[in-house]
Amino acid sequence: MVDWMKKKVSMISERLKLDPCPIGKNGFCCKICLMGPCRILDKKQKGVCGASQDLIVARNILRFVAGGASAHCGHSYHLLEYLNKHFPKNYIKNKAPPYLYKLWDKLGIIPKIKFEHFKDISEALHISTMGVNADYQDILKWCMKLGIIDGYYGMYLATELEDKKFRKPKVTSSKLNLSCLDPKKINIAVHGHEPMLAEAIIKEVNKNKDVNLVGVCCTGASILARHGIPLAANFVLQENVIATGIVDAMVVDLQCVMPSLSDLCECYHTKLITTNEIARIPNALHLPIKNEEDSRKVAKKIIDIARKNKKNRRKEAGQMFRKRVEKPKKVVVGFTEENIGVKKLAEMIKNKKIKGIIAVVGCVNPRVDVKDWIDVFKKLSKDYIILTTGCMAFEFGKYNLLDGKRVFHLGSCVNNSRIAEIFKKISDYLGKKITDLPFLVSCPMPITEKAIAIGFFFASLGVDAHLGYPFLISSDTNVAHFLEVVLKDKFKSRIFLDTDSHLFYNKINKGLKIHP
Ligand code: SF4
Ligand code: MSK
């Protein structure tokens, strides 16, 4: 970036100098009412209203999970509207293992009627306002309820609708990193999470040989899995896509789109285009889509805009790009619950050919050393099969590990439902409960609320969920103890924190079913 640009805009590496608040990071800050914010660092201390540290931590977690569940459920709801379909009836009952459905029903944590799940998300915000629910354990039970909602009405439903409409992925090879951009062609990047418009753009790009399409984040992971469209970047590298200077249009839908893209586009020639009614960004061109017909028209328009904009690239941009860009990474992608070979995996577990299956999911938090964690999972992949999605999957690709032999790419974040299906199918095949099998879900560096909601979903299935960044839990609270130990009573799973990758490795290497 040249000097005048640096004055105008900063990149994420600069902004990371802003330290995270050490109190908020552990969940000890309550700003739910205006007598606060109350910062409760001591177990004996109380907020102005009398709320304990445990209550404050639990309420903060619930609000986080509610945010995540609203995003995933919003995604599937947008798909239903786009496809002009209704909510399927008895969805959770039809999808969940019957013994789990019975348990959840007994605990009163499943919504039964359509739209009830949106009411539950709203109710979670209600119970965590000042002076409503003061029982931190009950609040954590609500987190499990929202986890179930996130899993089925969010991730499962979104994946199912996308598979039906846009086809189920097939195993294919592709490439990944910024080298997917082509200085000779018109470059369009699609970014966000809802792939409806991206699918329409693919069709148009196929008719325009001078256009090169790349993906970013989960919209990118989705079209990588379904069509082998190269993936340029994950969340943390999204700004770098624009900073190549050769992207003529960056098309964003929603979730995980940095507001800074607007500032960056002012410094480069890239046209920023927003495409979802609820996700507007200042200075971007807004072309919202509501249905397939809109998508077709907008896709054509975007190609025209990008074509006209190509002439505004800086002259030296192509040359600079060629000088700096590294070689593409080859990846094998497109695995699903149907083509991964569930029986083979089950037999490998039964015959002790592998110690188990670890799903490595979620974000890549720039505050954490990602290479360190990738090294740990690489070592673990000798004894375990690794399933991966979302931004973590991109990192496996970056380090040449997406080989489809020990490490399997299963798509975007909503495609975590494929992981749940694989666990369910293996347990059916072996005639065991999910919780009795050596499965683990690890989210070593969460960023978003969605990542935490995913953790609670897997815990509700009886799978242990590891988190590698503090995310509002500090290990010496009753809340952490409840999630790690008490949860086991009902759900036979635990949610635990391990921020040290080497300690994590030593623990996991001994076997997944060794609980504290
Ligand atoms: Fe403080 Fe209670 Fe208000 Fe939270 S709800 S800010 S703990 S007074
Ligand atoms: S995009 S949710 S930063 S994985 Fe799904 Fe990546 Fe996390 Fe967004």
PDB file of all heavy atoms in Angstrom, residues 414-445:
ATOM      1  N   VAL A 414     -22.420 -23.122   7.460  1.00  0.00           N
ATOM      2  CA  VAL A 414     -23.722 -23.797   7.639  1.00  0.00           C
ATOM      3  C   VAL A 414     -23.610 -25.283   7.304  1.00  0.00           C
ATOM      4  O   VAL A 414     -24.410 -26.093   7.766  1.00  0.00           O
ATOM      5  CB  VAL A 414     -24.897 -23.153   6.843  1.00  0.00           C
ATOM      6  CG1 VAL A 414     -25.260 -21.799   7.393  1.00  0.00           C
ATOM      7  CG2 VAL A 414     -24.645 -23.124   5.365  1.00  0.00           C
ATOM      8  N   ASN A 415     -22.593 -25.640   6.518  1.00  0.00           N
ATOM      9  CA  ASN A 415     -22.397 -27.062   6.182  1.00  0.00           C
ATOM     10  C   ASN A 415     -21.834 -27.870   7.355  1.00  0.00           C
ATOM     11  O   ASN A 415     -21.557 -29.066   7.207  1.00  0.00           O
ATOM     12  CB  ASN A 415     -21.490 -27.219   4.957  1.00  0.00           C
ATOM     13  CG  ASN A 415     -22.059 -26.577   3.709  1.00  0.00           C
ATOM     14  OD1 ASN A 415     -21.319 -26.165   2.830  1.00  0.00           O
ATOM     15  ND2 ASN A 415     -23.380 -26.473   3.621  1.00  0.00           N
ATOM     16  N   ASN A 416     -21.691 -27.252   8.520  1.00  0.00           N
ATOM     17  CA  ASN A 416     -21.358 -28.041   9.719  1.00  0.00           C
ATOM     18  C   ASN A 416     -22.436 -29.082   9.977  1.00  0.00           C
ATOM     19  O   ASN A 416     -22.203 -30.058  10.688  1.00  0.00           O
ATOM     20  CB  ASN A 416     -21.210 -27.132  10.943  1.00  0.00           C
ATOM     21  CG  ASN A 416     -19.871 -26.428  10.930  1.00  0.00           C
ATOM     22  OD1 ASN A 416     -18.847 -27.024  10.593  1.00  0.00           O
ATOM     23  ND2 ASN A 416     -19.872 -25.156  11.270  1.00  0.00           N
ATOM     24  N   SER A 417     -23.620 -28.867   9.401  1.00  0.00           N
ATOM     25  CA  SER A 417     -24.670 -29.886   9.523  1.00  0.00           C
ATOM     26  C   SER A 417     -24.208 -31.190   8.871  1.00  0.00           C
ATOM     27  O   SER A 417     -24.638 -32.264   9.270  1.00  0.00           O
ATOM     28  CB  SER A 417     -25.963 -29.400   8.869  1.00  0.00           C
ATOM     29  OG  SER A 417     -25.747 -29.212   7.492  1.00  0.00           O
ATOM     30  N   ARG A 418     -23.335 -31.094   7.870  1.00  0.00           N
ATOM     31  CA  ARG A 418     -22.810 -32.330   7.251  1.00  0.00           C
ATOM     32  C   ARG A 418     -21.998 -33.118   8.284  1.00  0.00           C
ATOM     33  O   ARG A 418     -22.026 -34.350   8.300  1.00  0.00           O
ATOM     34  CB  ARG A 418     -21.899 -31.997   6.057  1.00  0.00           C
ATOM     35  CG  ARG A 418     -22.564 -31.216   4.936  1.00  0.00           C
ATOM     36  CD  ARG A 418     -21.731 -31.331   3.660  1.00  0.00           C
ATOM     37  NE  ARG A 418     -22.036 -30.293   2.694  1.00  0.00           N
ATOM     38  CZ  ARG A 418     -23.128 -30.254   1.941  1.00  0.00           C
ATOM     39  NH1 ARG A 418     -24.043 -31.173   2.068  1.00  0.00           N
ATOM     40  NH2 ARG A 418     -23.312 -29.268   1.086  1.00  0.00           N
ATOM     41  N   ILE A 419     -21.267 -32.397   9.115  1.00  0.00           N
ATOM     42  CA  ILE A 419     -20.468 -33.068  10.160  1.00  0.00           C
ATOM     43  C   ILE A 419     -21.413 -33.783  11.130  1.00  0.00           C
ATOM     44  O   ILE A 419     -21.210 -34.948  11.482  1.00  0.00           O
ATOM     45  CB  ILE A 419     -19.566 -32.048  10.892  1.00  0.00           C
ATOM     46  CG1 ILE A 419     -18.518 -31.499   9.909  1.00  0.00           C
ATOM     47  CG2 ILE A 419     -18.897 -32.679  12.125  1.00  0.00           C
ATOM     48  CD1 ILE A 419     -17.685 -30.347  10.439  1.00  0.00           C
ATOM     49  N   ALA A 420     -22.480 -33.074  11.532  1.00  0.00           N
ATOM     50  CA  ALA A 420     -23.461 -33.693  12.446  1.00  0.00           C
ATOM     51  C   ALA A 420     -24.072 -34.927  11.793  1.00  0.00           C
ATOM     52  O   ALA A 420     -24.291 -35.948  12.463  1.00  0.00           O
ATOM     53  CB  ALA A 420     -24.547 -32.679  12.807  1.00  0.00           C
ATOM     54  N   GLU A 421     -24.356 -34.854  10.488  1.00  0.00           N
ATOM     55  CA  GLU A 421     -24.934 -36.007   9.781  1.00  0.00           C
ATOM     56  C   GLU A 421     -23.953 -37.172   9.728  1.00  0.00           C
ATOM     57  O   GLU A 421     -24.337 -38.331   9.878  1.00  0.00           O
ATOM     58  CB  GLU A 421     -25.319 -35.612   8.352  1.00  0.00           C
ATOM     59  CG  GLU A 421     -26.741 -35.134   8.177  1.00  0.00           C
ATOM     60  CD  GLU A 421     -27.802 -36.117   8.644  1.00  0.00           C
ATOM     61  OE1 GLU A 421     -28.112 -37.089   7.933  1.00  0.00           O
ATOM     62  OE2 GLU A 421     -28.325 -35.889   9.762  1.00  0.00           O
ATOM     63  N   ILE A 422     -22.678 -36.853   9.494  1.00  0.00           N
ATOM     64  CA  ILE A 422     -21.656 -37.920   9.446  1.00  0.00           C
ATOM     65  C   ILE A 422     -21.585 -38.609  10.812  1.00  0.00           C
ATOM     66  O   ILE A 422     -21.577 -39.840  10.907  1.00  0.00           O
ATOM     67  CB  ILE A 422     -20.284 -37.345   9.007  1.00  0.00           C
ATOM     68  CG1 ILE A 422     -20.354 -36.934   7.527  1.00  0.00           C
ATOM     69  CG2 ILE A 422     -19.155 -38.356   9.236  1.00  0.00           C
ATOM     70  CD1 ILE A 422     -19.181 -36.110   7.036  1.00  0.00           C
ATOM     71  N   PHE A 423     -21.591 -37.819  11.876  1.00  0.00           N
ATOM     72  CA  PHE A 423     -21.561 -38.403  13.231  1.00  0.00           C
ATOM     73  C   PHE A 423     -22.798 -39.296  13.445  1.00  0.00           C
ATOM     74  O   PHE A 423     -22.715 -40.384  13.985  1.00  0.00           O
ATOM     75  CB  PHE A 423     -21.511 -37.308  14.302  1.00  0.00           C
ATOM     76  CG  PHE A 423     -20.191 -36.570  14.391  1.00  0.00           C
ATOM     77  CD1 PHE A 423     -20.065 -35.411  15.159  1.00  0.00           C
ATOM     78  CD2 PHE A 423     -19.063 -37.040  13.719  1.00  0.00           C
ATOM     79  CE1 PHE A 423     -18.842 -34.740  15.254  1.00  0.00           C
ATOM     80  CE2 PHE A 423     -17.841 -36.372  13.795  1.00  0.00           C
ATOM     81  CZ  PHE A 423     -17.737 -35.208  14.555  1.00  0.00           C
ATOM     82  N   LYS A 424     -23.951 -38.767  13.004  1.00  0.00           N
ATOM     83  CA  LYS A 424     -25.198 -39.523  13.197  1.00  0.00           C
ATOM     84  C   LYS A 424     -25.162 -40.835  12.394  1.00  0.00           C
ATOM     85  O   LYS A 424     -25.506 -41.901  12.917  1.00  0.00           O
ATOM     86  CB  LYS A 424     -26.383 -38.662  12.741  1.00  0.00           C
ATOM     87  CG  LYS A 424     -27.736 -39.266  13.032  1.00  0.00           C
ATOM     88  CD  LYS A 424     -28.839 -38.284  12.688  1.00  0.00           C
ATOM     89  CE  LYS A 424     -29.853 -38.919  11.780  1.00  0.00           C
ATOM     90  NZ  LYS A 424     -30.792 -37.997  11.205  1.00  0.00           N
ATOM     91  N   LYS A 425     -24.707 -40.762  11.163  1.00  0.00           N
ATOM     92  CA  LYS A 425     -24.686 -41.970  10.310  1.00  0.00           C
ATOM     93  C   LYS A 425     -23.695 -43.002  10.855  1.00  0.00           C
ATOM     94  O   LYS A 425     -23.976 -44.202  10.814  1.00  0.00           O
ATOM     95  CB  LYS A 425     -24.301 -41.600   8.873  1.00  0.00           C
ATOM     96  CG  LYS A 425     -25.457 -40.945   8.121  1.00  0.00           C
ATOM     97  CD  LYS A 425     -25.060 -40.625   6.693  1.00  0.00           C
ATOM     98  CE  LYS A 425     -26.265 -40.099   5.946  1.00  0.00           C
ATOM     99  NZ  LYS A 425     -26.397 -40.570   4.606  1.00  0.00           N
ATOM    100  N   ILE A 426     -22.553 -42.544  11.334  1.00  0.00           N
ATOM    101  CA  ILE A 426     -21.572 -43.500  11.891  1.00  0.00           C
ATOM    102  C   ILE A 426     -22.171 -44.162  13.134  1.00  0.00           C
ATOM    103  O   ILE A 426     -22.053 -45.375  13.331  1.00  0.00           O
ATOM    104  CB  ILE A 426     -20.235 -42.790  12.224  1.00  0.00           C
ATOM    105  CG1 ILE A 426     -19.549 -42.351  10.929  1.00  0.00           C
ATOM    106  CG2 ILE A 426     -19.314 -43.711  13.031  1.00  0.00           C
ATOM    107  CD1 ILE A 426     -18.257 -41.579  11.122  1.00  0.00           C
ATOM    108  N   SER A 427     -22.838 -43.364  13.961  1.00  0.00           N
ATOM    109  CA  SER A 427     -23.403 -43.940  15.201  1.00  0.00           C
ATOM    110  C   SER A 427     -24.520 -44.933  14.857  1.00  0.00           C
ATOM    111  O   SER A 427     -24.633 -45.983  15.483  1.00  0.00           O
ATOM    112  CB  SER A 427     -23.879 -42.848  16.162  1.00  0.00           C
ATOM    113  OG  SER A 427     -25.065 -42.284  15.715  1.00  0.00           O
ATOM    114  N   ASP A 428     -25.326 -44.614  13.828  1.00  0.00           N
ATOM    115  CA  ASP A 428     -26.375 -45.564  13.392  1.00  0.00           C
ATOM    116  C   ASP A 428     -25.726 -46.862  12.917  1.00  0.00           C
ATOM    117  O   ASP A 428     -26.159 -47.954  13.258  1.00  0.00           O
ATOM    118  CB  ASP A 428     -27.195 -44.977  12.225  1.00  0.00           C
ATOM    119  CG  ASP A 428     -28.161 -43.907  12.693  1.00  0.00           C
ATOM    120  OD1 ASP A 428     -28.357 -43.782  13.924  1.00  0.00           O
ATOM    121  OD2 ASP A 428     -28.701 -43.173  11.837  1.00  0.00           O
ATOM    122  N   TYR A 429     -24.687 -46.733  12.106  1.00  0.00           N
ATOM    123  CA  TYR A 429     -24.024 -47.907  11.530  1.00  0.00           C
ATOM    124  C   TYR A 429     -23.434 -48.802  12.623  1.00  0.00           C
ATOM    125  O   TYR A 429     -23.520 -50.026  12.555  1.00  0.00           O
ATOM    126  CB  TYR A 429     -22.923 -47.436  10.563  1.00  0.00           C
ATOM    127  CG  TYR A 429     -22.177 -48.569   9.893  1.00  0.00           C
ATOM    128  CD1 TYR A 429     -22.710 -49.217   8.780  1.00  0.00           C
ATOM    129  CD2 TYR A 429     -20.924 -48.987  10.367  1.00  0.00           C
ATOM    130  CE1 TYR A 429     -22.028 -50.258   8.158  1.00  0.00           C
ATOM    131  CE2 TYR A 429     -20.234 -50.023   9.757  1.00  0.00           C
ATOM    132  CZ  TYR A 429     -20.788 -50.662   8.648  1.00  0.00           C
ATOM    133  OH  TYR A 429     -20.105 -51.689   8.045  1.00  0.00           O
ATOM    134  N   LEU A 430     -22.843 -48.146  13.626  1.00  0.00           N
ATOM    135  CA  LEU A 430     -22.197 -48.933  14.690  1.00  0.00           C
ATOM    136  C   LEU A 430     -23.173 -49.311  15.804  1.00  0.00           C
ATOM    137  O   LEU A 430     -22.796 -50.007  16.763  1.00  0.00           O
ATOM    138  CB  LEU A 430     -21.001 -48.161  15.272  1.00  0.00           C
ATOM    139  CG  LEU A 430     -19.831 -47.911  14.301  1.00  0.00           C
ATOM    140  CD1 LEU A 430     -18.778 -47.033  14.960  1.00  0.00           C
ATOM    141  CD2 LEU A 430     -19.198 -49.221  13.834  1.00  0.00           C
ATOM    142  N   GLY A 431     -24.403 -48.796  15.703  1.00  0.00           N
ATOM    143  CA  GLY A 431     -25.415 -49.089  16.716  1.00  0.00           C
ATOM    144  C   GLY A 431     -25.069 -48.503  18.079  1.00  0.00           C
ATOM    145  O   GLY A 431     -25.341 -49.101  19.123  1.00  0.00           O
ATOM    146  N   LYS A 432     -24.433 -47.345  18.074  1.00  0.00           N
ATOM    147  CA  LYS A 432     -24.063 -46.691  19.339  1.00  0.00           C
ATOM    148  C   LYS A 432     -24.617 -45.268  19.369  1.00  0.00           C
ATOM    149  O   LYS A 432     -24.979 -44.724  18.331  1.00  0.00           O
ATOM    150  CB  LYS A 432     -22.546 -46.621  19.466  1.00  0.00           C
ATOM    151  CG  LYS A 432     -21.903 -47.980  19.627  1.00  0.00           C
ATOM    152  CD  LYS A 432     -20.469 -47.818  20.034  1.00  0.00           C
ATOM    153  CE  LYS A 432     -19.960 -49.182  20.490  1.00  0.00           C
ATOM    154  NZ  LYS A 432     -18.668 -49.160  21.027  1.00  0.00           N
ATOM    155  N   LYS A 433     -24.620 -44.688  20.563  1.00  0.00           N
ATOM    156  CA  LYS A 433     -25.030 -43.285  20.644  1.00  0.00           C
ATOM    157  C   LYS A 433     -23.863 -42.399  20.203  1.00  0.00           C
ATOM    158  O   LYS A 433     -22.692 -42.776  20.397  1.00  0.00           O
ATOM    159  CB  LYS A 433     -25.403 -42.936  22.087  1.00  0.00           C
ATOM    160  CG  LYS A 433     -26.739 -43.519  22.494  1.00  0.00           C
ATOM    161  CD  LYS A 433     -27.117 -43.046  23.871  1.00  0.00           C
ATOM    162  CE  LYS A 433     -28.484 -43.614  24.225  1.00  0.00           C
ATOM    163  NZ  LYS A 433     -28.845 -43.386  25.611  1.00  0.00           N
ATOM    164  N   ILE A 434     -24.188 -41.228  19.661  1.00  0.00           N
ATOM    165  CA  ILE A 434     -23.143 -40.302  19.203  1.00  0.00           C
ATOM    166  C   ILE A 434     -22.128 -40.056  20.314  1.00  0.00           C
ATOM    167  O   ILE A 434     -20.918 -40.078  20.106  1.00  0.00           O
ATOM    168  CB  ILE A 434     -23.774 -38.964  18.734  1.00  0.00           C
ATOM    169  CG1 ILE A 434     -24.581 -39.182  17.457  1.00  0.00           C
ATOM    170  CG2 ILE A 434     -22.712 -37.892  18.521  1.00  0.00           C
ATOM    171  CD1 ILE A 434     -25.335 -37.960  16.966  1.00  0.00           C
ATOM    172  N   THR A 435     -22.645 -39.866  21.499  1.00  0.00           N
ATOM    173  CA  THR A 435     -21.783 -39.495  22.618  1.00  0.00           C
ATOM    174  C   THR A 435     -20.810 -40.602  23.034  1.00  0.00           C
ATOM    175  O   THR A 435     -19.800 -40.343  23.680  1.00  0.00           O
ATOM    176  CB  THR A 435     -22.652 -39.035  23.813  1.00  0.00           C
ATOM    177  OG1 THR A 435     -21.844 -38.263  24.671  1.00  0.00           O
ATOM    178  CG2 THR A 435     -23.285 -40.194  24.545  1.00  0.00           C
ATOM    179  N   ASP A 436     -21.123 -41.850  22.658  1.00  0.00           N
ATOM    180  CA  ASP A 436     -20.233 -42.961  23.030  1.00  0.00           C
ATOM    181  C   ASP A 436     -19.100 -43.156  22.031  1.00  0.00           C
ATOM    182  O   ASP A 436     -18.286 -44.060  22.184  1.00  0.00           O
ATOM    183  CB  ASP A 436     -21.044 -44.257  23.159  1.00  0.00           C
ATOM    184  CG  ASP A 436     -22.026 -44.169  24.313  1.00  0.00           C
ATOM    185  OD1 ASP A 436     -21.694 -43.456  25.284  1.00  0.00           O
ATOM    186  OD2 ASP A 436     -23.121 -44.750  24.227  1.00  0.00           O
ATOM    187  N   LEU A 437     -19.065 -42.347  21.005  1.00  0.00           N
ATOM    188  CA  LEU A 437     -18.033 -42.516  19.973  1.00  0.00           C
ATOM    189  C   LEU A 437     -16.967 -41.413  20.087  1.00  0.00           C
ATOM    190  O   LEU A 437     -17.236 -40.326  20.604  1.00  0.00           O
ATOM    191  CB  LEU A 437     -18.705 -42.494  18.593  1.00  0.00           C
ATOM    192  CG  LEU A 437     -19.530 -43.769  18.349  1.00  0.00           C
ATOM    193  CD1 LEU A 437     -20.506 -43.577  17.207  1.00  0.00           C
ATOM    194  CD2 LEU A 437     -18.606 -44.956  18.072  1.00  0.00           C
ATOM    195  N   PRO A 438     -15.769 -41.697  19.585  1.00  0.00           N
ATOM    196  CA  PRO A 438     -14.671 -40.733  19.742  1.00  0.00           C
ATOM    197  C   PRO A 438     -14.737 -39.578  18.744  1.00  0.00           C
ATOM    198  O   PRO A 438     -14.000 -39.526  17.772  1.00  0.00           O
ATOM    199  CB  PRO A 438     -13.418 -41.597  19.521  1.00  0.00           C
ATOM    200  CG  PRO A 438     -13.873 -42.699  18.631  1.00  0.00           C
ATOM    201  CD  PRO A 438     -15.313 -42.954  18.942  1.00  0.00           C
ATOM    202  N   PHE A 439     -15.673 -38.679  18.998  1.00  0.00           N
ATOM    203  CA  PHE A 439     -15.834 -37.495  18.161  1.00  0.00           C
ATOM    204  C   PHE A 439     -15.515 -36.250  18.991  1.00  0.00           C
ATOM    205  O   PHE A 439     -15.831 -36.197  20.186  1.00  0.00           O
ATOM    206  CB  PHE A 439     -17.285 -37.347  17.674  1.00  0.00           C
ATOM    207  CG  PHE A 439     -17.803 -38.496  16.841  1.00  0.00           C
ATOM    208  CD1 PHE A 439     -19.139 -38.894  16.948  1.00  0.00           C
ATOM    209  CD2 PHE A 439     -16.991 -39.154  15.930  1.00  0.00           C
ATOM    210  CE1 PHE A 439     -19.641 -39.938  16.182  1.00  0.00           C
ATOM    211  CE2 PHE A 439     -17.480 -40.200  15.151  1.00  0.00           C
ATOM    212  CZ  PHE A 439     -18.808 -40.594  15.283  1.00  0.00           C
ATOM    213  N   LEU A 440     -14.948 -35.274  18.327  1.00  0.00           N
ATOM    214  CA  LEU A 440     -14.702 -33.982  18.988  1.00  0.00           C
ATOM    215  C   LEU A 440     -14.917 -32.884  17.958  1.00  0.00           C
ATOM    216  O   LEU A 440     -14.572 -33.049  16.784  1.00  0.00           O
ATOM    217  CB  LEU A 440     -13.251 -33.913  19.504  1.00  0.00           C
ATOM    218  CG  LEU A 440     -12.806 -32.565  20.072  1.00  0.00           C
ATOM    219  CD1 LEU A 440     -13.371 -32.349  21.480  1.00  0.00           C
ATOM    220  CD2 LEU A 440     -11.281 -32.444  20.145  1.00  0.00           C
ATOM    221  N   VAL A 441     -15.486 -31.760  18.427  1.00  0.00           N
ATOM    222  CA  VAL A 441     -15.539 -30.572  17.572  1.00  0.00           C
ATOM    223  C   VAL A 441     -14.629 -29.533  18.200  1.00  0.00           C
ATOM    224  O   VAL A 441     -14.738 -29.247  19.394  1.00  0.00           O
ATOM    225  CB  VAL A 441     -16.985 -30.037  17.457  1.00  0.00           C
ATOM    226  CG1 VAL A 441     -16.999 -28.658  16.818  1.00  0.00           C
ATOM    227  CG2 VAL A 441     -17.805 -30.980  16.595  1.00  0.00           C
ATOM    228  N   SER A 442     -13.716 -29.017  17.399  1.00  0.00           N
ATOM    229  CA  SER A 442     -12.794 -28.013  17.925  1.00  0.00           C
ATOM    230  C   SER A 442     -12.922 -26.727  17.127  1.00  0.00           C
ATOM    231  O   SER A 442     -12.887 -26.735  15.895  1.00  0.00           O
ATOM    232  CB  SER A 442     -11.356 -28.535  17.824  1.00  0.00           C
ATOM    233  OG  SER A 442     -10.459 -27.486  18.144  1.00  0.00           O
ATOM    234  N   CYS A 443     -13.082 -25.639  17.857  1.00  0.00           N
ATOM    235  CA  CYS A 443     -13.120 -24.314  17.229  1.00  0.00           C
ATOM    236  C   CYS A 443     -11.986 -23.535  17.905  1.00  0.00           C
ATOM    237  O   CYS A 443     -12.205 -22.868  18.906  1.00  0.00           O
ATOM    238  CB  CYS A 443     -14.498 -23.692  17.487  1.00  0.00           C
ATOM    239  SG  CYS A 443     -14.676 -22.064  16.786  1.00  0.00           S
ATOM    240  N   PRO A 444     -10.774 -23.679  17.399  1.00  0.00           N
ATOM    241  CA  PRO A 444      -9.617 -23.181  18.150  1.00  0.00           C
ATOM    242  C   PRO A 444      -9.498 -21.668  18.224  1.00  0.00           C
ATOM    243  O   PRO A 444      -8.799 -21.155  19.089  1.00  0.00           O
ATOM    244  CB  PRO A 444      -8.427 -23.784  17.405  1.00  0.00           C
ATOM    245  CG  PRO A 444      -8.923 -24.094  16.043  1.00  0.00           C
ATOM    246  CD  PRO A 444     -10.376 -24.388  16.164  1.00  0.00           C
ATOM    247  N   MET A 445     -10.159 -20.948  17.335  1.00  0.00           N
ATOM    248  CA  MET A 445     -10.000 -19.489  17.389  1.00  0.00           C
ATOM    249  C   MET A 445     -11.266 -18.756  16.938  1.00  0.00           C
ATOM    250  O   MET A 445     -11.265 -18.059  15.925  1.00  0.00           O
ATOM    251  CB  MET A 445      -8.786 -19.056  16.577  1.00  0.00           C
ATOM    252  CG  MET A 445      -8.672 -19.632  15.214  1.00  0.00           C
ATOM    253  SD  MET A 445      -7.022 -19.375  14.550  1.00  0.00           S
ATOM    254  CE  MET A 445      -6.221 -20.843  15.182  1.00  0.00           C
TER     255      MET A 445
END
